Amino acid sequence: METIWKQRKLTNISQKYNLSVEFFYFLLLGGGRLDAKILAKHIFKLINSERARRRLPQLQPDEQLIKIAIDNAMNRKNCTVHYAFKNERHFVVAKRIVKELMKDPNHKRQILNKSYTHIGLGICVLWNESLKEYEIYLCKRFKSDKRNRHNKKSKTKPKSFNFNIRKIILKNKKTFEYFLVAVMLYIALYIAFLVKS
């Protein structure tokens, strides 16, 4: 009876101050097990905040991509490995993981790709008894909405003809030199003809 009362009290306090019950359990129990779903939510929010800082559209979660990503993470295929200590908070671990991803140029390019509209995150958290730390297998899957891209392409204006003489001269330098010599020769002959007449 006492534990039910404590759970209700925690729920009321968390709703009053807009905090998660998980946060209170962390404070009361001094940490605990890393939960893959909570970690994925934090990583998802942090990835979208990185995109928002660069004025890119927010990624939407995609159920099909999430299933594929979770399956890959469980089988440890095509995923990155990160580590966390026993009593680390979910947000701290998520922040460190996103920071590591943003340091890697390939992962950064994926995360900040403006054509991507959907994301699926799969996380598998395993406790390594010998190292006394968590092994976190993270798999990311991205998708771009083709219909959205097609609409954007149809709205763009066709490229106008841009005549740039300098680019043409630099591209065909030898031909232009011959042309100038011919023009100068023509002018010299014309002047010579005018002087004789």
Side-chain angles (χ1 to χ4, degrees), residues 12-43:
N12 291 340
I13 292 169
S14 68
Q15 288 173 349
K16 183 178 179 181
Y17 295 104
N18 198 19
L19 298 168
S20 66
V21 176
E22 174 253 340
F23 174 72
F24 281 105
Y25 278 117
F26 183 86
L27 290 177
L28 291 174
L29 302 174
R33 185 163 158 37
L34 276 178
D35 187 287
K37 285 184 180 179
I38 296 168
L39 200 56
K41 284 180 186 177
H42 286 301
I43 291 171

Side-chain angles (χ1 to χ4, degrees), residues 18 20 29 39 46 50 70 80 86 89 151 197:
N18 198 19
S20 66
L29 302 174
L39 200 56
L46 288 167
E50 286 290 335
I70 289 173
T80 57
K86 190 173 186 178
R89 295 186 175 139
N151 290 342
S197 20

Side-chain angles (χ1 to χ4, degrees), residues 89-122:
R89 295 186 175 139
H90 289 86
F91 182 75
V92 174
V93 175
K95 198 169 186 179
R96 187 173 62 245
I97 288 172
V98 172
K99 194 174 185 180
E100 288 171 8
L101 292 173
M102 293 303 286
K103 282 183 182 177
D104 184 276
N106 293 329
H107 292 293
K108 186 176 182 178
R109 195 178 315 116
Q110 270 187 326
I111 291 168
L112 300 178
N113 189 330
K114 60 184 174 186
S115 68
Y116 289 145
T117 55
H118 293 81
I119 187 172
L121 292 173

Side-chain angles (χ1 to χ4, degrees), residues 2 7 28 34 45 51 55 62 71 109-110 118 129 150:
E2 192 176 325
Q7 285 176 344
L28 291 174
L34 276 178
K45 286 178 184 176
R51 289 175 65 89
R55 293 191 173 99
D62 186 272
D71 187 49
R109 195 178 315 116
Q110 270 187 326
H118 293 81
E129 190 62 42
H150 179 69

Side-chain angles (χ1 to χ4, degrees), residues 167-192:
K167 280 184 182 177
I168 294 170
I169 291 169
L170 290 174
K171 232 179 190 179
N172 306 308
K173 199 172 182 180
K174 270 291 193 214
T175 309
F176 187 71
E177 287 174 359
Y178 292 133
F179 175 74
L180 282 179
V181 169
V183 168
M184 289 169 61
L185 206 85
Y186 176 76
I187 292 171
L189 289 172
Y190 184 74
I191 292 171

